[in-house]
Amino acid sequence: MSFPCFWLIFFSFSYVQAANYPKMQTLNTNTEYINPKLPPRTLSTSKKFEGSSDLVHLRYHMGPVLSSTPINIYLIWYGRWPLSQKLLIKDFLNSISPTAAAAKPSVSDWWSTVSLYTDQTGANVSRSMLIAGEYTDNNYSHGNQLTRLSVQQVIASAVKSAPFPIDHKNGIYLILTAQDVTMQDFCRAVCGFHYFTFPSMVGYTLPYAWVGNSAKQCPEVCAYPFAIPGYMGGGGPGALKPPNGDVGVDGMVSVIGHELAELSSNPLVNAWYAGEDPTAPTEIGDLCEGLYGTGGGGGYIGQVMKDKEGRTFNLYGKSGRRFLVQWIWSPELKACAGPNAMD
């Protein structure tokens, strides 16, 4: 069975109005709102999912969602990671759980859309997420060229080394590869994916996600809009300034959010997705690719914020960091939604 989820940057959208959301407020008086209008993308002519409730047939297929409180994240750092990059990603993950510390619109508010999804018992995806363990492989023990199968061997090594428990009920395993690690189909077709491990490979069925740092390999694809393809160079505002000054990792954050949202609502590929083929589903993140704010669609990322240094973002974390994270399909609005909606 092929992997169920992929993160393609170049996808065409129609404008989705996230109605009934309150006007955005921010505690930072140095923030202004911008609406980058990039030229329509030309790499895809697909009109199958336009972000419209008339065209999107997202259905529940009776499988589980991650409803435990909290969801335990087991982080696997594969390759050499500077501490500053680790802290940036962990700040994002630690901001998912509800907190009064973050300014609005917050990462926690963004995750509240994901938490609207339920299983057949009515249990919602959990609002809480905890980094329950970390494992670092600085030695590239499985090489610096991974495949969708060998990444499961990376998980097996982490589990067997004993820093992690076998947490198949409440846990998810997040593998993050450094910028010098290649992955099968990375850049060409995927920026991240999620699936579950095979007992023959790991010993257990464990939900996991992989996301790679694209800084050196394909930032214009996987760290968009902080880097842009060459064909866009003559139009639009150009590449946007990343909120934390790291094109690769700031780009990763949105992919991580995308994959965690889908992993939580479809961990075993039998819960929430659109389409008839579970081996290639369209999930709640896929439906909102490239959409970050009100007015987005048709190649525009939508209304986002810019600070006095020109750094672009749409969410606040609990420690004061800022992030640019794509919107998620709301089962209530039947549209893409985010807490920074302006209408």
Side-chain angles (χ1 to χ4, degrees):
M1 181 179 295
S2 62
F3 67 91
C5 170
F6 50 87
W7 202 90
L8 289 171
I9 281 292
F10 299 111
F11 196 86
S12 179
F13 296 95
S14 289
Y15 168 55
V16 177
Q17 186 175 22
N20 301 322
Y21 269 73
K23 283 191 176 295
M24 177 170 55
Q25 296 180 346
T26 175
L27 302 180
N28 189 331
T29 57
N30 293 319
T31 297
E32 63 176 294
Y33 302 108
I34 61 170
N35 187 7
K37 293 190 174 183
L38 301 177
R41 299 171 194 169
T42 59
L43 295 191
S44 173
T45 57
S46 170
K47 301 294 181 184
K48 188 173 182 181
F49 300 105
E50 296 276 359
S52 161
S53 59
D54 294 329
L55 297 175
V56 173
H57 302 290
L58 184 73
R59 293 190 298 116
Y60 176 56
H61 296 79
M62 305 306 288
V65 301
L66 296 180
S67 58
S68 64
T69 301
I71 299 169
N72 292 325
I73 294 186
Y74 299 96
L75 277 173
I76 300 173
W77 304 98
Y78 191 81
R80 295 183 180 89
W81 283 90
L83 179 60
S84 60
Q85 293 184 336
K86 288 185 175 183
L87 290 177
L88 197 166
I89 290 171
K90 290 199 290 185
D91 275 357
F92 172 71
L93 297 175
N94 286 326
S95 296
I96 289 175
S97 298
T99 175
K104 303 289 186 179
S106 69
V107 173
S108 178
D109 295 334
W110 168 82
W111 187 261
S112 67
T113 298
V114 184
S115 71
L116 295 174
Y117 288 89
T118 63
D119 64 15
Q120 57 186 314
T121 72
N124 293 75
V125 170
S126 176
R127 286 296 308 272
S128 299
M129 196 167 284
L130 173 70
I131 298 175
E134 296 182 62
Y135 173 78
T136 300
D137 187 341
N138 288 323
N139 297 320
Y140 305 81
S141 60
H142 296 276
N144 63 358
Q145 297 178 330
L146 299 178
T147 68
R148 294 175 199 147
L149 276 180
S150 67
V151 77
Q152 295 199 22
Q153 295 173 342
V154 174
I155 299 172
S157 294
V159 169
K160 290 174 183 176
S161 68
F164 292 168
I166 301 299
D167 192 354
H168 55 83
K169 290 185 178 179
N170 304 325
I172 55 179
Y173 296 76
L174 179 57
I175 305 94
L176 303 174
T177 51
Q179 62 185 5
D180 56 348
V181 177
T182 64
M183 168 62 75
Q184 179 183 1
D185 292 330
F186 188 27
C187 300
R188 185 186 66 80
V190 299
C191 300
F193 60 80
H194 73 88
Y195 205 50
F196 52 83
T197 61
F198 304 143
S200 60
M201 298 282 290
V202 181
Y204 301 87
T205 299
L206 304 173
Y208 76 90
W210 163 82
V211 179
N213 186 341
S214 67
K216 287 189 175 179
Q217 299 180 54
C218 58
E220 72 284 356
V221 175
C222 293
Y224 178 89
F226 304 132
I228 61 173
Y231 76 88
M232 284 187 177
L240 302 182
K241 200 169 181 179
N244 298 286
D246 190 319
V247 169
V249 179
D250 275 313
M252 282 185 78
V253 164
S254 188
V255 186
I256 290 169
H258 175 122
E259 296 303 332
L260 289 181
E262 294 183 342
L263 187 59
S264 297
S265 59
N266 195 29
L268 300 181
V269 204
N270 60 359
W272 289 95
Y273 64 87
E276 300 304 319
D277 183 1
T279 67
T282 300
E283 298 171 284
I284 68 172
D286 299 325
L287 293 169
C288 303
E289 295 259 11
L291 187 62
Y292 297 83
T294 299
Y300 305 162
I301 72 167
Q303 194 91 2
V304 294
M305 294 178 283
K306 184 172 70 173
D307 66 17
K308 61 183 179 180
E309 283 81 32
R311 296 172 295 196
T312 308
F313 66 101
N314 64 353
L315 301 176
Y316 290 94
K318 67 182 235 179
S319 66
R321 283 192 193 269
R322 298 160 180 181
F323 305 99
L324 186 70
V325 183
Q326 72 150 90
W327 282 10
I328 296 296
W329 185 265
S330 166
E332 292 185 349
L333 298 176
K334 293 183 170 49
C336 296
N340 60 309
M342 298 292 291
D343 46 21

